[in-house]
């Protein structure tokens, strides 16, 4: 399975984009940036461009597509 452009647009619409790293909740271990990219690679005060936010989203989506496809044959 591969996400469609409509699916990507829907994620972008509901997630929103933030180009400066933030913590949604103070107790979170890592920061979030872009369209919800979260992890140890995001640092406090980090800034990215909209192009980079799109790259991170596509990379994150690719990771989850692979997981879905791994189990897709079961059903």
């Amino acid at each position: 399975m591969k996400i469609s452009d409509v699916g990507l647009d829907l994620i972008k619409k509901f997630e929103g984009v933030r180009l400066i790293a933030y913590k949604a909740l103070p107790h979170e271990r890592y920061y979030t940036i872009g369209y919800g990219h979260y992890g140890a690679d995001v640092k406090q005060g980090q800034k990215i461009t909209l192009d980079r936010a799109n790259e991170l989203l596509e990379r994150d989506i690719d990771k989850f597509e692979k997981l879905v496809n791994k189990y897709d044959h079961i059903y």
Side-chain angles (χ1 to χ4, degrees):
M1 299 180 102
K2 180 89 173 123
I3 194 165
S4 67
D5 290 340
V6 173
L8 275 174
D9 288 344
L10 190 63
I11 290 171
K12 289 178 179 181
K13 177 181 175 184
F14 282 100
E15 189 65 39
V17 64
R18 293 184 61 179
L19 303 178
I20 300 173
Y22 68 97
K23 284 191 176 182
L25 299 171
H27 67 275
E28 288 185 335
R29 182 173 181 184
Y30 301 117
Y31 285 82
T32 303
I33 202 162
Y35 294 101
H37 177 76
Y38 174 84
D41 61 325
V42 183
K43 307 297 182 201
Q44 181 179 6
Q46 182 177 349
K47 296 177 185 178
I48 61 172
T49 64
L50 187 57
D51 285 340
R52 181 67 178 144
N54 285 310
E55 290 171 6
L56 290 170
L57 176 60
E58 292 198 21
R59 188 178 81 188
D60 291 344
I61 290 292
D62 184 55
K63 177 175 68 174
F64 291 109
E65 283 176 342
K66 287 177 182 171
L67 289 170
V68 168
N69 289 329
K70 181 178 178 180
Y71 296 100
D72 185 49
H73 68 281
I74 295 173
Y75 301 101

